Each structure stands twice: as C-alpha cells, then as structure tokens.
Amino acid sequence: MVTAGDCGEIRTSVWLAARRAAPARRRSEAPCGLDRERITAATVRLLDSEGLGRFSMRRLAAGLGVTAMSLYWYVDTKHDLLELALDSALGELALAPGSPPDGWPGRLRALARGYRRMLADHPWVAPLTAAYPNIGPHARAFDAALQRLLDATGLGDSARTGAHLAVSQFLHGCGGAVRRAPEGDFCLALDVLIAGIEAKATA
C-alpha cells in the first residue's frame, strides 16, 4: 500500500521533475511500441484488476510483454507511474456536464456524483490522492472547474475559499466512508453541503 509516508521529502513529483534525455547513441535501444501513454493506461488497468497493494513494475512489465527495466526509459520510479495513473483517472471526469436547470447547485451535484463514480471505478485513487500532490493537468482542470462553479455562487472571496475547502474535503471523503455509504446518504450529505453554501451566499 502506498501512503503519504512512502513519498517522503526525497522525491519530486513527476509533474515537476525535468527528465534527462537519454544519450543519443542509446536512443535506438529504447523498447519499440512503448510510450508514456501506453504505460500509463496499462498501469490503470493493472491497478483496477489487482489493486494498489499488488502493483509492481515487474507485474506491469509482464502485462506489456517487456522487461521491467524497459519501463525506466519512460519513467524514473514506480511513484512516477502512480502519479501518472492518478491524473489519468481524474481525466475521466466530465467537467462540463451541461447547464442543469438549477444552476450551480445542479453542476455541483453532477460534479460530486461523477467524482464518486470515478472513485468506485478506481478504488486505488483515494489513497493516491492522500499520498501524492494533485498537480497533474487533469487535477488542475478539475480544480479550475470547481473554482468556476464556486464563482457562480456569488460568495465573497473569503467565503468562497472556505466553500472550496469544504467541497474539496467532501469529495476526497468520497474515497472513504462517503464512497461506501448508500447513494441516498451520499446525496443527503451533498444536499446539506449545498444548503450551507446557499445560506452563506444569501447571508
């Protein structure tokens, strides 16, 4: 199992690290048919089928029909791959679900339910969001969508910051008890959160 402690302070996020280019004389030795996108997709499939606890570079390489060392042409560590897989899963979220008739509350309900479905499809995402910084392109797009949604509430700056924290904590909580709760309980908790934002906006 990957925890926040596994990451420590000695590694740099894959989204911040500058990868060194391989020497020109060795580029022709790179494994054929592989790239980061294919490896990331295979990582997601392996995590879905076997879980985070059984994930390893050796298992991933076997599924791709290559040696484990071949993967290190494209990523520096297993943690890099897990970060890439995390952001790939976040990319499945529909960030523009149309214009629900009830405005931003409808958009927030759609966003929250989509996030919950994504966590149900990929149970390994929840522990990874606690272990790694969520700063990949899809994570940033998700946060930007949430910010735009909260802009529509009419909250002032300080209240909007608090609402952003509350919604973020609620959605991340979907990975634990909220995700396992019945749909009705989840929707009730979401309605309470929305009612609190609405009350603050009209205060």
Side-chain angles (χ1 to χ4, degrees), residues 129-162:
T129 58
Y132 298 117
N134 295 298
I135 56 175
H138 291 122
R140 294 197 305 272
F142 175 77
D143 191 66
L146 178 56
Q147 293 282 10
R148 290 192 299 271
L149 189 158
L150 292 174
D151 286 344
T153 64
L155 290 169
D157 289 344
S158 60
R160 192 164 63 249
T161 298

Side-chain angles (χ1 to χ4, degrees), residues 14-64:
V14 68
W15 303 111
L16 300 177
R19 300 200 73 230
R20 291 176 301 214
R25 66 180 181 278
R26 296 183 57 203
R27 287 175 189 156
S28 62
E29 301 170 17
C32 293
L34 285 184
D35 55 38
R36 266 196 175 189
E37 289 71 25
R38 183 183 173 199
I39 294 170
T40 299
T43 299
V44 170
R45 290 194 299 272
L46 182 60
L47 289 167
D48 285 345
S49 63
E50 300 200 14
L52 187 56
R54 289 176 56 83
F55 178 81
S56 71
M57 298 294 271
R58 191 176 300 276
R59 286 178 181 274
L60 177 63
L64 288 167

Side-chain angles (χ1 to χ4, degrees), residues 82 169 198 200:
L82 293 176
Q169 292 296 323
E198 288 178 319
K200 193 70 176 176

Side-chain angles (χ1 to χ4, degrees), residues 83-167:
E83 278 197 84
L84 292 168
L86 170 60
D87 200 65
S88 177
L90 292 173
E92 297 177 10
L93 291 167
L95 299 183
S99 300
D102 51 347
W104 70 261
R107 289 165 55 199
L108 180 52
R109 287 187 180 93
L111 189 69
R113 288 169 179 164
Y115 196 91
R116 186 173 190 255
R117 285 192 299 272
M118 183 270 295
L119 289 176
D121 291 341
H122 307 296
W124 47 271
V125 164
L128 292 189
T129 58
Y132 298 117
N134 295 298
I135 56 175
H138 291 122
R140 294 197 305 272
F142 175 77
D143 191 66
L146 178 56
Q147 293 282 10
R148 290 192 299 271
L149 189 158
L150 292 174
D151 286 344
T153 64
L155 290 169
D157 289 344
S158 60
R160 192 164 63 249
T161 298
H164 182 274
L165 177 61
V167 173

